[in-house]
Amino acid sequence: MAIREDVLVVGGGIAGATAALAAAESGATVRLLSHKKSTLRQASGLVDVLGAVGGDGSTGGDGSAAGGPKLIADPFEALDRLPDSHPYRVVGADAIRDGLGLFDEAVGDAYAGEHTDRNALVLTHGGTIKPTARYPESVAPGLASSEEDTLLVGFAGLTDFDAPTAAAHLEATDVPFAIDGVTVTFPVKFRDDALTTRFAKALDTDESSARKRLADAVRDAAADLDDYERVGFPAMLGDDAGREVRAELADRLGATVFQIPTGPPSLLGMQLEDLLLDALDDAGIRLASGNPAVGYEASDGRVESVLVDRRGREVPYAAEEFVLATGGLVGKGIDSDREAVTEPIFDCHVPHPTDRYDWSEPEAFGDHAFARFGVVPDDDLRPTDGSGATEFGNLRAAGGVLGGADTAREKSAAGVSLATGAYAGRRAGEEAMR
């Protein structure tokens, strides 16, 4: 017997969580299916809406992205510069605001940026400046728009963040403040392959007086700590007790303390995942994880159920309405081999050049076709077939599985997930409750 809900969302990332939350607001019963943990733990924890537009991907003589996309200050003012096929052009600015509103409600005061449409400028672990729409409150004191002299602190053996190098790169961009970097030894000894969470937990519990010893190490390494108004660390300053850790370090250092987003595994990404899971639980959304969706059952142009593989047995999950939010090529929501590009659950049409060599460009930062691979939606986010007809009347797509956007170049991945997730979830909920 099939497990039945009003709305079934397939995919556990930002798009899936947003779609589930939006559908639940209609009063519908909602279940979210996810196979594995989302890719959020590999992400920075920042929420970009639109950071750059335009560019042809060409490079200059020094290898720089001379023809690359140009950074923008206000994502909403740049929407009309996107192609008609872009998901933002399909759902409109209201859906972007709706998605951001759902996000703000879900994460509460753990994130900042809701006070303005304009992008904030966040320092990155690579020594660059990234435009983003929402960012953890622990990152907020380190924005590049603040003219406060800054010291960056890295840890010996942490290859993801070299503080002196990052500081030198930022200084070369003419940031409006003095910036330096130092490297210290973390006060608790770990194995070389220790996870970010191990550092964070040591500061949470103040293992071996880690907080005082870390502050002392920074004071010893800095020529004159009084020269700096803020001190930035890689994002591992505590997990459960993060605010307490940062407050104590700030008191001991006599400067504001902030975190710098890092590469994977990302503590900020893991914390965002936890916030979204808590919001789903609070909304009464049922979760089913650990088993892959492998197919579907349909009749008369409508999906009846999604088939989930449970130890070799296909279990149907039925619903009135469905949202596909399984991600793009990275999230395995879009699959490819040497011959073709496919959507593996519903076998939705994914347009792509027949010649595999046309999937990419010679330039590393070029305008690659594969970056925009995905299903093609109608004006209600329902996937269409090769002739433009709707594949299924009760299936909508959201997030990275949608084609038409190069979210990496545009710095728009989370925003596309929020906007399309909100739209698809609300429409699914409305239709299910008719």
Side-chain angles (χ1 to χ4, degrees):
M1 181 177 179
I3 300 168
R4 190 169 193 87
E5 308 291 346
D6 293 327
V7 177
L8 183 70
V9 179
V10 186
I14 291 180
T18 306
L21 291 170
E25 287 192 349
S26 70
T29 61
V30 183
R31 185 180 295 271
L32 187 149
L33 295 177
S34 64
H35 178 199
K36 299 177 180 178
K37 290 185 178 295
S38 77
T39 55
L40 280 171
R41 60 190 49 240
Q42 310 302 325
S44 65
L46 303 176
V47 175
D48 306 333
V49 169
L50 184 63
V53 294
D56 59 9
S58 64
T59 58
D62 61 353
S64 62
K70 307 304 180 185
L71 300 184
I72 58 171
D74 187 332
F76 293 93
E77 291 182 355
L79 293 179
D80 60 359
R81 295 161 60 188
L82 298 172
D84 291 341
S85 60
H86 195 286
Y88 282 159
R89 299 296 297 273
V90 177
V91 299
D94 287 347
I96 303 174
R97 296 188 188 281
D98 187 17
L100 287 170
L102 285 167
F103 178 84
D104 294 338
E105 184 176 350
V107 302
D109 64 358
Y111 269 69
E114 72 282 357
H115 63 289
T116 179
D117 285 345
R118 295 177 67 84
N119 283 322
L121 300 177
V122 173
L123 308 186
T124 74
H125 67 288
T128 61
I129 295 174
K130 180 180 176 64
T132 194
R134 299 290 189 271
Y135 42 95
E137 55 86 21
S138 64
V139 172
L143 296 184
S145 54
S146 177
E147 298 181 6
E148 296 181 330
D149 291 345
T150 304
L151 177 68
L152 303 184
V153 178
F155 300 130
L158 186 68
T159 56
D160 281 350
F161 180 57
D162 184 309
T165 300
H169 287 169
L170 286 164
E171 186 175 35
T173 66
D174 295 325
V175 290
F177 47 84
I179 185 165
D180 294 299
V182 296
T183 301
V184 303
T185 300
F186 193 79
V188 181
K189 179 66 174 176
F190 298 125
R191 289 171 37 172
D192 290 342
D193 60 351
L195 298 176
T196 301
T197 50
R198 185 67 184 91
F199 290 81
K201 293 299 183 184
L203 291 167
D204 270 348
T205 61
D206 202 18
E207 181 180 340
S208 303
S209 301
R211 301 176 194 176
K212 178 181 183 302
R213 293 172 60 199
L214 177 55
D216 289 344
V218 173
R219 283 197 169 277
D220 290 343
D224 189 349
L225 195 57
D226 293 337
D227 289 343
Y228 307 103
E229 298 163 276
R230 56 184 180 176
V231 180
F233 294 84
M236 53 183 64
L237 297 183
D239 187 4
D240 297 330
R243 291 185 180 182
E244 178 185 326
V245 171
R246 296 193 303 275
E248 181 171 338
L249 288 174
D251 183 62
R252 291 184 180 279
L253 295 173
T256 303
V257 168
F258 67 94
Q259 296 198 116
I260 299 168
T262 62
S266 164
L267 182 63
L268 295 179
M270 295 178 203
Q271 290 172 336
L272 176 54
E273 182 179 47
D274 289 342
L275 288 168
L276 294 177
L277 288 172
D278 288 345
L280 293 170
D281 186 57
D282 291 343
I285 293 163
R286 298 170 177 85
L287 301 179
S289 61
N291 299 294
V294 294
Y296 68 97
E297 297 172 323
S299 178
D300 297 327
R302 292 178 64 84
V303 178
E304 293 186 339
S305 66
V306 168
L307 302 176
V308 173
D309 183 352
R310 284 188 178 176
R311 298 179 181 178
R313 184 168 67 96
E314 291 187 350
V315 177
Y317 283 73
E320 294 296 322
E321 298 287 326
F322 297 81
V323 177
L324 176 65
T326 45
L329 287 167
V330 174
K332 302 300 183 183
I334 299 296
D335 204 357
S336 67
D337 56 27
R338 297 187 67 85
E339 303 300 327
V341 182
T342 58
E343 185 280 303
I345 298 176
F346 296 96
D347 195 27
C348 293
H349 174 63
V350 179
H352 58 278
T354 55
D355 188 338
R356 187 168 178 269
Y357 289 97
D358 292 334
W359 294 5
S360 61
E361 294 291 330
E363 299 286 352
F365 298 101
D367 186 13
H368 301 292
F370 71 78
R372 296 185 300 278
F373 286 168
V375 303
V376 179
D378 66 9
D379 59 5
D380 203 28
L381 286 189
R382 293 174 299 185
T384 59
D385 62 19
S387 67
T390 299
E391 298 255 22
F392 302 101
N394 62 338
L395 173 67
R396 291 173 179 81
V401 74
L402 290 167
D406 186 344
T407 57
R409 294 180 81 228
E410 299 166 356
K411 308 183 193 306
S412 66
V416 167
S417 291
L418 288 172
T420 58
Y423 183 96
R426 289 206 188 282
R427 289 290 296 121
E430 291 167 359
E431 290 296 310
M433 296 307 290
R434 279 190 174 188

